[in-house]
Amino acid sequence: MKIGVLALQGDFDAHRKRLQELGAEVVLVKKPEQLDDLDGLVIPGGESGTFLKLLGEEGFAKLRDFVRSKPTFGTCAGAILLASEVENPKQAGLGALDITVRRNAYGRQIDSSIREGRFLNHPIEMVFIRAPKIERVGREVEVIATEGKDPVFVRKGKTLAATFHPELSHDRRIHQYFLDLIENTQPSY
Ligand code: GLN
């Protein structure tokens, strides 16, 4: 399985390592044409506004076509990019998931934190860094993990968005879930 990790900026290398540990072939995507022969894509955390600048109009259009038709997993800034609506401030989203996301929603005091949430009803560690909040979940979007009352990991078909950083925890279940979805195998938990 060939998985791309968008490598323009941010913590793409931790995703590369995790995906390779799980047996995937990983391509660090720096140019739009590298999207062409991938089975799936991870958009990592970083700064979503910077991603938009670095992508430019052409990169944005190519990425939008990809994420709307192929399995994609966005974490943190990547989740922001996948949304249909972005607040604080408003910015363009790729519209792969019908969600509204508020950037930097936890305020300065709790810039970063490690908390325990629930993934498919099992406890799991979640690392939040200047995290966005999913404020609205569209009708076809399923919540697969929560932290307190907040949805923090959502899915529509093979499109996933997490507001935390699973690549920074030792637990491999979240990435495995994405790979299982691509392969159409039933996750075993
Ligand atoms: N605060 C960042 C943004 O708004 C996201 C932070 C992250 O990816 N860790 O894009």
Side-chain angles (χ1 to χ4, degrees):
M1 202 173 357
K2 203 166 167 180
I3 309 294
V5 179
L6 194 66
L8 296 176
Q9 193 248 352
D11 72 336
F12 52 84
D13 211 50
H15 283 287
R16 174 190 62 76
K17 280 198 200 129
R18 176 59 47 81
L19 292 163
Q20 283 175 341
E21 282 165 15
L22 293 171
E25 183 189 336
V26 178
V27 178
L28 294 179
V29 176
K30 295 186 191 272
K31 299 215 168 86
E33 54 275 18
Q34 288 175 289
L35 292 169
D36 286 343
D37 58 343
L38 298 176
D39 299 308
L41 179 71
V42 170
I43 307 181
E47 208 49 55
S48 54
T50 308
F51 274 117
L52 291 175
K53 271 190 212 135
L54 293 173
L55 280 166
E57 254 175 60
E58 200 187 317
F60 183 86
K62 180 104 196 201
L63 187 61
R64 187 185 52 210
D65 292 348
F66 182 94
V67 301
R68 289 181 179 197
S69 59
K70 289 273 194 79
T72 305
F73 176 24
T75 59
C76 205
I80 297 170
L81 284 182
L82 289 177
S84 53
E85 244 180 299
V86 181
E87 308 276 358
N88 190 37
K90 279 197 182 297
Q91 72 183 20
L94 296 162
L97 281 169
D98 180 21
I99 54 174
T100 303
V101 167
R102 170 167 294 271
R103 295 177 64 193
N104 303 311
Y106 294 89
R108 283 258 174 102
Q109 312 88 300
I110 40 169
D111 223 21
S112 309
S113 59
I114 300 178
R115 287 175 250 170
E116 187 180 283
R118 295 191 78 78
F119 167 53
L120 299 173
N121 256 327
H122 297 281
I124 193 163
E125 176 186 282
M126 296 174 173
V127 178
F128 293 92
I129 305 171
R130 289 176 295 111
K133 209 173 240 189
I134 299 173
E135 292 195 322
R136 183 190 60 86
V137 175
R139 268 197 297 148
E140 289 174 10
V141 178
E142 198 186 329
V143 176
I144 47 182
T146 49
E147 192 282 314
K149 288 202 166 89
D150 295 331
V152 291
F153 188 24
V154 296
R155 161 187 172 192
K156 183 184 169 219
K158 296 189 179 188
T159 308
L160 304 176
T163 60
F164 57 100
H165 287 261
E167 77 286 4
L168 298 181
S169 293
H170 292 295
D171 200 309
R172 297 175 176 176
R173 277 178 289 167
I174 302 280
H175 287 80
Q176 186 65 60
Y177 180 83
F178 180 52
L179 297 180
D180 286 347
L181 269 187
I182 298 176
E183 282 195 322
N184 271 322
T185 48
Q186 202 63 34
S188 50
Y189 32 83

